[in-house]
Amino acid sequence: YFKHLRQAERRGSIFIPTTARDFEWHHQGTGVAHIDLKIANRLCENTLVNAEKFAAVASQFGARYPWEALDKGWRQVLFSQHHDAITGPCCDRSYFDLMDGYREALELASQALDRSLTYLAGAADTTCTDVGALAALVIFNSLNWERTDVIEVDLELPRAVSSFALRTAEGEGVPFEVIQASGPGDKVRC
């Protein structure tokens, strides 16, 4: 049947119309192609978990635990995790609603995390016994093992210097590369 149908179409004796009812505006022709929703979901989950960790530690040192922000952030993320949402809705309105919910969750989690880290950094003893020390840098690790990741940081030195070194609290040298340096009073990107 299909062989005869195809031959008839090639001869031009019949016309087979192509129709579609695809309401997918983002990736037409695919039913579940919203990888950006999955990325947003994972980013929100990780940020919320880290915010919870550091907020719990900061609360032990006197900071107020941001339960309202974290509760709302988790509700936004969990609301979007049902099978019709996280795999990608067919209508653009639902897609934008989901992304808006992820945006709000990420903003709430990021603010809670930033406040907790700022509070903890302010409580850290950054006094240095080294007479030539210019500044202290506090780095947080949210994992339960030592890390050797490469980080990028803007350092604002209090005065102009021709060179400087980075050292751990124990006095060990830390390898670094200056990416960009500006004039006195400006930042150094390392």
Side-chain angles (χ1 to χ4, degrees):
Y1 172 77
F2 289 111
K3 181 179 171 186
H4 292 294
L5 213 62
R6 198 174 322 221
Q7 290 171 351
E9 182 187 27
R10 285 188 192 131
R11 286 191 310 267
S13 58
I14 64 165
F15 173 73
I16 301 174
T18 303
T19 61
R21 295 178 3 150
D22 192 354
F23 296 108
E24 177 61 66
W25 297 107
H26 306 287
H27 300 286
Q28 291 197 359
T30 61
V32 289
H34 285 289
I35 190 65
D36 48 347
L37 289 173
K38 294 176 181 128
I39 291 169
N41 182 76
R42 183 56 54 91
L43 184 61
C44 289
E45 286 176 337
N46 289 338
T47 307
L48 282 162
V49 166
N50 285 331
E52 284 180 335
K53 289 177 189 178
F54 286 111
V57 173
S59 71
Q60 296 301 305
F61 289 97
R64 183 181 173 283
Y65 188 82
W67 68 269
E68 298 97 338
L70 296 176
D71 178 69
K72 185 166 187 186
W74 276 117
R75 286 176 190 267
Q76 289 285 25
V77 170
L78 294 173
F79 175 79
S80 302
Q81 287 187 344
H82 61 86
H83 71 279
D84 287 333
I86 199 165
T87 58
C90 286
C91 109
D92 57 345
R93 276 184 254 158
S94 297
Y95 171 82
F96 291 129
D97 283 346
L98 289 167
M99 286 305 274
D100 192 44
Y102 283 132
R103 180 197 50 79
E104 183 178 17
L106 188 58
E107 284 177 358
L108 291 167
S110 296
Q111 289 169 2
L113 178 60
D114 289 347
R115 286 186 187 121
S116 298
L117 293 177
T118 300
Y119 187 88
L120 290 169
D125 180 10
T126 57
T127 57
C128 195
T129 57
D130 187 356
V131 178
L134 295 175
L137 177 64
V138 179
I139 299 172
F140 293 96
N141 179 6
S142 63
L143 303 176
N144 62 349
W145 60 83
E146 272 189 44
R147 296 169 70 175
T148 58
D149 303 25
V150 174
I151 64 164
E152 190 172 309
V153 64
D154 290 332
L155 296 175
E156 195 165 331
L157 303 177
R159 65 177 189 272
V161 295
S162 58
S163 66
F164 65 94
L166 294 180
R167 303 202 181 284
T168 65
E170 294 77 29
E172 298 175 26
V174 177
F176 70 96
E177 173 186 9
V178 174
I179 298 170
Q180 179 182 4
S182 303
D186 289 336
K187 294 180 180 178
V188 175
R189 182 170 292 268
C190 296

